[in-house]
Amino acid sequence: MKRAAGVAQRQAVAQHSPLLASLDFGLARVVTTSSAPSQAAAAASQAAAVKPANMQEFQVYRWDPDTGGKPRYQSYQVDTNACGPMMLDVLFKIKDEQDPALSFRRSCREGICGSCAMNINGSNTLACLAKVDKDVTSSQKIAPLPHMFVVRDLVVDMANFYAQYKAIEPYLKLKTDGTDAAPKKGQLVENFQNKENRAKLDGLYECILCACCSTSCPSYWWNSDQYLGPAVLMQAYRWIIDSRDEFQAERLDKVNDAMSLYRCHTIMNCSKVCPKGLNPAKAIAKVKTMVH
């Protein structure tokens, strides 16, 4: 009885208001349920299940300091149609399904943290940004960053790289305590920067310190104990030109020597391999012009 009364009421309203009638009809269409979406999902799942396997060979650098022995490349067969599209996904599939002892660094898998930097098919890059070429029939090689001490498998020792970065003092340095311009004595004020000076830092601050550029540089290979390398020199330049910093002259003096700065011979490997599309070689050239 209540349902019939409700239908009669809606019909009476519709006679006086066509707009409400159309809204009522539209609402009825929205709340109507159907099995079509679930059927479509099931069909898509079945289509993925019957997708033909695409077995590809991946040769991964292996070395375990606990067991000793010489480093080697170990071959793995992976169905690249059954895993994600990136090289990091391939490594995860190998570790999850074939070899849980495989070691590699990873974190964000979005090209932000720089943890999964390695040498893939002869070029330094981030595994999370390196797309798998599913048409390749030959084996693909995955190795640690070149000319770095290997801790285990694809994990390298970054201690020297980070020590060099620390040496350039990557933070704002002021000769005053920041209270000189304060309206009240002893009160700190914000260190402002205009848009023009802020724009000068674009292409520099985005560096994620993955070391892809530095470990692709032959000068860094042979002199990594003294040459700061592309990544660190680019960050040094970033702080040298920051308008808020008051130690520009001291920063320039610190990098102005034959080994720290002038080991760069503009080979350009660093700019070619940077996964963020930055140009360390240009930044180094800018520093060279500033010290003269």
Side-chain angles (χ1 to χ4, degrees):
M1 293 294 292
K2 292 182 179 180
R3 182 178 179 183
V7 172
Q9 185 179 9
R10 286 199 298 271
Q11 289 175 348
V13 171
Q15 290 177 358
H16 298 283
S17 178
L19 177 60
L20 289 177
S22 64
L23 288 175
D24 185 65
F25 176 71
L27 180 61
R29 293 188 62 185
V30 170
V31 300
T32 299
T33 59
S34 171
S35 61
S38 59
Q39 291 175 352
S45 177
Q46 291 176 359
V50 299
K51 195 172 184 179
N54 185 35
M55 303 302 297
Q56 292 183 281
E57 181 185 8
F58 294 88
Q59 293 189 7
V60 182
Y61 182 97
R62 301 301 309 274
W63 181 68
D64 186 353
D66 297 329
T67 60
K70 294 182 178 181
R72 70 191 190 282
Y73 279 95
Q74 187 166 338
S75 179
Y76 300 93
Q77 294 290 329
V78 177
D79 180 7
T80 53
N81 279 343
C83 71
M86 302 301 179
M87 283 291 188
L88 185 60
D89 296 307
V90 171
L91 292 173
F92 273 125
K93 193 168 182 64
I94 293 172
K95 186 176 181 67
D96 292 342
E97 300 179 2
Q98 299 185 45
D99 193 344
L102 176 62
S103 298
F104 55 90
R105 288 192 178 108
R106 84 289 181 276
S107 182
C108 73
R109 67 183 296 139
E110 295 290 344
I112 296 173
C113 70
S115 299
C116 62
M118 55 190 72
N119 186 279
I120 297 176
N121 293 326
S123 180
N124 291 354
T125 187
L126 299 179
C128 64
L129 297 183
K131 196 168 184 179
V132 178
D133 187 350
K134 296 186 178 183
D135 297 326
V136 172
T137 55
S138 58
S139 63
Q140 303 181 58
K141 282 192 173 183
I142 305 176
L145 291 174
H147 292 265
M148 298 281 275
F149 290 107
V150 176
V151 177
R152 178 184 176 123
D153 296 340
L154 301 175
V155 180
V156 297
D157 186 357
M158 301 284 284
N160 180 61
F161 178 79
Y162 291 140
Q164 291 174 323
Y165 179 61
K166 181 181 179 181
I168 65 168
E169 298 178 303
Y171 44 82
L172 287 177
K173 297 178 64 180
L174 302 177
K175 295 181 179 180
T176 59
D177 60 4
T179 62
D180 295 347
K184 295 181 180 180
K185 186 176 180 180
Q187 181 182 4
L188 293 175
V189 295
E190 186 174 353
N191 195 350
F192 291 104
Q193 184 176 53
N194 61 38
K195 292 182 179 180
E196 291 74 19
N197 287 327
R198 167 60 184 80
K200 294 177 182 178
L201 306 181
D202 289 340
L204 302 171
Y205 76 89
E206 299 94 334
C207 175
I208 57 176
L209 298 174
C210 63
C212 282
C213 61
S214 293
T215 55
S216 70
C217 174
S219 294
Y220 192 76
W221 296 346
W222 314 132
N223 304 287
S224 60
D225 58 333
Q226 299 178 68
Y227 176 47
L228 293 177
V232 174
L233 284 174
M234 183 171 71
Q235 290 308 297
Y237 176 64
R238 176 255 179 274
W239 294 104
I240 288 170
I241 66 168
D242 195 313
S243 61
R244 300 165 295 177
D245 192 90
E246 298 175 353
F247 281 77
Q248 184 185 81
E250 291 83 353
R251 290 181 185 277
L252 286 171
D253 288 340
K254 195 168 186 178
V255 299
N256 185 19
D257 67 71
M259 293 304 297
S260 295
L261 175 62
Y262 288 98
R263 287 298 92 189
C264 172
H265 300 299
T266 324
I267 299 173
M268 302 298 290
N269 280 2
C270 54
S271 300
K272 292 178 182 177
V273 302
C274 177
K276 304 297 287 186
L278 307 181
N279 194 344
K282 181 180 179 181
I284 296 172
K286 294 279 189 179
V287 176
K288 290 179 179 178
T289 63
M290 295 178 72
V291 297
H292 289 295

